[in-house]
Amino acid sequence: MVNYFILGNGSNLLVSDNGYNGGMSMRTLSIEAGLLSLKVLEDIIDIPGTVGGGIVMNATFISKGLLKLTIRSSLLKDIKYLVIEATFKLKKGNQMEIQKTMTHNTELRYQKQPMYYGSAGIFFVWDHIKHGSIYEKYKNNNLLSYRIGDAMIYTHNISFIINLRNASTANVINVVRHIEKVIKDNYDIDMKREVVVLGTFN
């Protein structure tokens, strides 16, 4: 069980310089499991966010039945529940092999994802089996490297919209809306957002 606190506007609140341990990160969980020679969690070593958030968004976790896990989503996301405790079924392994796998996964992430740019993560959920290659659709509609202000579709991995330097959230949402419109107009596919958007935009 971890501590949790539901934050409103942040008024009448003083947080320690040491931070507040309100949830274990997926990276920390992966490392601690590895140190205990327990495998299965090597793949989450560099997934940002907390364990609870990872379960809600189904960040590669597998569960039986009740959570209704789908591609990058779960029942918990729809009903707005908080995850404050979780149990994982791990396997005993060789610590050196586990570390080797974790290092390899980190190297792959740096090759495939925009680790040196700001982003909100993978923006859309895409069903390749149902809809085919999203890359080809982007390519055929001049969406590769499409940019508004400093918000741009990442050239090396189109799942991300990156902040080149001083992108505003308005820049980002306008790139998102353009993608959604192009894909809808040309393929009659409604893009499903994975990133949660808060607030209002013109």
Side-chain angles (χ1 to χ4, degrees):
M1 180 81 71
V2 297
N3 297 321
Y4 70 95
F5 182 83
I6 300 174
L7 179 65
N9 194 43
S11 303
N12 298 332
L13 180 68
L14 181 65
V15 180
S16 166
D17 291 332
N18 297 318
Y20 175 74
N21 185 20
M24 176 175 280
S25 71
M26 286 187 277
R27 178 178 178 81
T28 298
L29 176 63
S30 179
I31 291 172
E32 291 194 3
L35 292 174
L36 294 172
S37 299
L38 297 173
K39 62 180 183 179
V40 173
L41 297 175
E42 298 93 318
D43 288 347
I44 67 170
I45 178 66
D46 278 311
I47 296 180
T50 62
V51 174
I55 293 172
V56 170
M57 299 296 290
N58 187 21
T60 75
F61 292 118
I62 299 174
S63 177
K64 295 182 179 179
L66 294 178
L67 296 185
K68 297 183 180 179
L69 298 184
T70 58
I71 300 174
R72 310 293 289 186
S73 189
S74 74
L75 175 66
L76 297 172
K77 184 177 179 182
D78 295 330
I79 59 180
K80 310 299 183 186
Y81 275 17
L82 297 175
V83 177
I84 58 175
E85 185 176 14
T87 301
F88 297 90
K89 186 176 180 179
L90 307 180
K91 299 177 182 178
K92 197 70 176 176
N94 179 279
Q95 188 175 104
M96 291 186 66
E97 289 299 317
I98 292 172
Q99 181 60 52
K100 183 178 178 180
T101 300
M102 290 166 65
T103 300
H104 176 68
N105 289 340
T106 298
E107 291 172 349
L108 285 179
R109 184 169 289 270
Y110 271 85
Q111 291 172 16
K112 296 180 179 181
Q113 298 190 7
M115 304 299 283
Y116 300 108
Y117 294 96
S119 80
I122 295 175
F123 216 96
F124 296 107
V125 177
W126 183 261
D127 190 333
H128 292 271
I129 297 175
K130 184 177 180 180
H131 299 307
S133 170
I134 188 172
Y135 179 85
E136 289 301 317
K137 291 174 175 59
Y138 274 41
K139 181 180 178 181
N140 293 337
N141 290 279
N142 299 315
L143 289 175
L144 300 182
S145 300
Y146 179 80
R147 173 177 176 177
I148 295 178
D150 272 351
M152 187 183 80
I153 298 173
Y154 186 49
T155 306
H156 303 295
N157 188 333
I158 60 173
S159 299
F160 295 86
I161 298 171
I162 60 172
N163 179 1
L164 293 172
R165 187 171 183 180
N166 295 309
S168 66
T169 53
N171 293 152
V172 175
I173 204 66
N174 284 332
V175 171
V176 169
R177 288 170 175 169
H178 181 70
I179 295 169
E180 292 171 337
K181 184 177 188 305
V182 168
I183 299 301
K184 178 65 174 177
D185 288 349
N186 289 281
Y187 305 100
D188 196 28
I189 297 173
D190 293 311
M191 298 291 282
K192 182 180 178 182
R193 297 178 184 179
E194 178 176 341
V195 171
V196 176
V197 177
L198 296 179
T200 58
F201 295 87
N202 295 326

